[in-house]
């Protein structure tokens, strides 16, 4: 996997994004490998005091010693699959970062979604980018500013397509929120992989 020739960049107060369209080599094959290799689960989340199924399937994959909590869930990491190791290696070549964890989301169709949030949990290395790889159906990815730093900045909508790599560089997670809204017309599924660097003594660049 080599970086595509074209890199698109967005800059705004507190926001830095880079997009490599069609970055994944052999994206069709990687999609079907990940559909089969990953132990996908539908977790439950507590919303307004009630337990509800998450509107997507997920899996958390990480090196030994990386613990991570999100949406109130303590995530037991799964081992790296062959396809994930290939993509992680290619990210290292493109970005110069070696990620020690990845959160996988599987949106079965356009009624699966993710609400507004930032990837700003204290376990994450704040100097590291978040590298988001998309496979399958194209979906709109939305960002909006939060707090004073983002005042006056307009929300942004990107269309993330099969094989795209989106990198959210620091300090984006501190000043912006992102979401994947429902798109009821979308019938195909989409996988998204967000590679992260958890702070551990072994997790340095
Ligand atoms: O599916 C996406 O593109 C977004 C995923 C996301 O926001 C996350 O994993 O934190």
């Amino acid at each position: 996997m080599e970086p595509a020739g074209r890199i698109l960049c967005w800059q705004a107060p507190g926001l830095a994004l880079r997009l490599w369209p069609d970055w994944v080599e052999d994206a069709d094959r990687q999609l079907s490998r990940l559909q089969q290799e990953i132990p996908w689960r539908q977790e439950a989340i507590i919303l307004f005091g009630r337990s509800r199924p998450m509107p997507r399937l997920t899996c958390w994959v990480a090196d030994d010693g990386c613990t991570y909590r999100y949406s109130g869930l303590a995530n037991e990491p799964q081992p790296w699959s062959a396809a994930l190791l290939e993509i992680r290696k290619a990210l290292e070549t493109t970005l110069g970062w070696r990620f020690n964890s990845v959160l996988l989301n599987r949106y079965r169709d356009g009624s699966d979604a993710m609400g507004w949030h930032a990837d700003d949990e204290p376990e994450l290395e704040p100097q590291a980018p978040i590298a988001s790889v998309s496979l399958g159906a194209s979906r709109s990815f939305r960002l909006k500013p939060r707090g004073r730093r983002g005042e006056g900045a307009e929300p942004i909508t990107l269309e993330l397509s099969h094989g795209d790599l989106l990198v959210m560089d620091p300090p984006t997670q501190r000043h912006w929120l992102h979401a994947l809204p429902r798109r009821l017309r979308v019938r195909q599924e989409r996988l998204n992989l967000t590679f992260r660097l958890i702070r551990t003594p072994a997790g340095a660049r």
Side-chain angles (χ1 to χ4, degrees):
M1 278 174 235
E2 291 298 325
R6 201 160 51 108
I7 307 174
L8 307 172
C9 297
W10 288 261
Q11 298 273 354
L15 172 125
L17 304 176
R18 291 177 285 161
L19 176 68
W20 280 257
D22 199 17
W23 173 84
V24 178
E25 190 175 293
D26 214 349
D28 292 351
R29 176 164 168 267
Q30 297 296 36
L31 172 63
S32 69
R33 287 169 87 191
L34 290 167
Q35 285 167 327
Q36 288 157 38
E37 285 177 3
I38 299 297
W40 298 101
R41 287 181 51 142
Q42 186 168 26
E43 304 280 1
I45 38 169
I46 308 292
L47 265 187
F48 307 113
R50 284 183 51 197
S51 172
R52 292 160 198 265
M54 258 190 196
R56 58 189 179 276
L57 308 182
T58 62
C59 183
W60 169 245
V61 171
D63 289 354
D64 286 347
C66 294
T67 49
Y68 184 48
R69 290 186 75 87
Y70 74 95
S71 298
L73 302 170
N75 290 286
E76 194 56 47
Q78 297 296 317
W80 291 88
S81 75
L84 286 177
L85 285 171
E86 277 178 22
I87 297 171
R88 172 165 82 163
K89 192 155 176 277
L91 284 172
E92 202 173 336
T93 306
T94 298
L95 300 177
W97 286 90
R98 187 185 174 282
F99 297 95
N100 57 16
S101 53
V102 57
L103 177 63
L104 294 101
N105 285 292
R106 184 174 189 169
Y107 306 92
R108 293 159 290 183
D109 59 27
S111 57
D112 276 354
M114 186 174 302
W116 289 108
H117 69 285
D119 300 330
D120 60 352
E121 290 80 4
E123 299 94 320
L124 294 173
E125 167 54 56
Q127 301 305 320
I130 303 273
S132 162
V133 173
S134 294
L135 292 165
S138 292
R139 293 283 294 264
S140 302
F141 179 74
R142 307 207 62 211
L143 297 115
K144 67 177 182 185
R146 66 183 200 187
R148 274 207 349 237
R149 257 313 269 289
E151 262 172 28
E154 293 294 320
I156 295 172
T157 302
L158 306 178
E159 197 64 17
L160 296 181
S161 300
H162 189 43
D164 288 355
L165 165 64
L166 174 70
V167 175
M168 295 184 269
D169 284 309
T172 304
Q173 304 301 329
R174 266 177 52 207
H175 303 298
W176 288 68
L177 301 173
H178 57 268
L180 192 94
R182 295 169 82 201
R183 282 287 173 271
L184 295 183
R185 277 173 293 128
V186 175
R187 301 264 177 250
Q188 291 79 32
E189 74 171 24
R190 168 178 184 266
L191 305 189
N192 179 260
L193 289 51
T194 44
F195 288 81
R196 299 146 189 256
L197 186 59
I198 301 280
R199 284 199 266 206
T200 68
R205 193 178 173 179

